[in-house]
Amino acid sequence: MQWFKRQSRLRKVAILAGIPFLLLCLCAGLASLVSPTPEATPTAAAEKPLTETPIPTYTPYPTYTPYPTYTLPPKPTITPAPTETPIPPTDTPLPPTDTPPLTDTSLPPTDTPMPTATLMPTATPIPPTPIPIPPTATPAHVQAQVVGVIDGDTIEVSIGEELYKVRYIGIDAPETKHPEKPVEWMGAEAAAKNEELVGGKIVRLEKDISETDQYGRLLRYVWAGDLMVNAELVRLGFAQVSTYPPDVRYQDLFQEMQQEAMEAERGLWRPTPTPLLALTATPLPPTQPPPAAVCDCSGNIYNCPDFSTHAEAQACYEYCKSLGRGDVHRLDGDKDGIACESLP
């Protein structure tokens, strides 16, 4: 325990002895910072020669010379052309001349363009006439996918991503879906044959002159492979020739196909079947309800004395006759239609 106390006193003595040394070092450092350097002393500054830095002279920019002003020339004055004063007609006939009549001396057309006439300027300007642009040439055949058969001469196709209805050029098949006409004879057969020829196939469409008809349908010749569907329907007798100018490219071919079908009596050209007469039922006159039972008509049961009056006997007599039994009771002995005449 004493040893620890002794060690503690020695540490305190060492710390107290080191404090003056630290203060001495601190004062030396501050003195070195405050003392001037040799370069900063007046003597050193006097001994160092001074050099003068020349001041650069200012060179002014060249003055701006403006461009010359441009004077527009005066506009020319347009003098209108003098108008012609019409000369009043005179009644004095001109003497006939011996000049022979003009003959047509026009040259045959050549590839050299003829010069155009130069128009004289007039006071009133005439607006130029627009020149029509020629239509863009379209390919002779366009491929299309058949998506539906409407009837014997109309189909629906897909070209790209658009759907179009196509009407066959030059032919006419019997109607099946006309809003104002009934289904015509051979119409269903023509539509079925058209379905057989083009249904679901890729066909080629050939244009003539017209683009569409009055209903907006494309007017085309339809080819399935090497077979023209328009002509084939005419040849088989499912359609007849129907020509509408200017679309007449294959008119002669269609006429030949129709003549062949007529001679062979195919389709529309075979003998027309005689329509069967509709059986008309003759209305029967309304049957009267059976009269109420007034007596038993199963056999000869009654005699005239069995009735009180002539009216009762006559009622039984007529009732049995209405049932088809006749005078089963023998009430009319003289067959004059009056039963039991002796009764009151």
Side-chain angles (χ1 to χ4, degrees), residues 230-289:
N230 310 48
E232 183 67 9
L233 289 172
V234 174
R235 189 185 71 84
L236 296 177
F238 293 108
Q240 57 184 343
V241 178
S242 178
T243 304
Y244 292 93
D247 304 309
V248 295
R249 182 178 302 166
Y250 297 106
Q251 179 182 3
D252 295 339
L253 173 63
F254 294 160
Q255 292 290 352
E256 294 177 7
M257 296 295 100
Q258 179 166 291
Q259 186 63 32
E260 177 184 340
M262 293 174 66
E263 293 176 356
E265 295 185 350
R266 300 190 190 119
L268 296 169
W269 312 112
R270 69 189 181 194
T272 305
T274 303
L276 297 176
L277 296 177
L279 297 177
T280 57
T282 303
L284 297 175
T287 57
Q288 298 293 334

Side-chain angles (χ1 to χ4, degrees), residues 281-314:
T282 303
L284 297 175
T287 57
Q288 298 293 334
V294 293
C295 60
D296 187 1
C297 299
S298 60
N300 187 3
I301 302 174
Y302 305 109
N303 293 314
C304 287
D306 297 327
F307 300 96
S308 303
T309 61
H310 163 70
E312 292 179 0
Q314 187 68 28

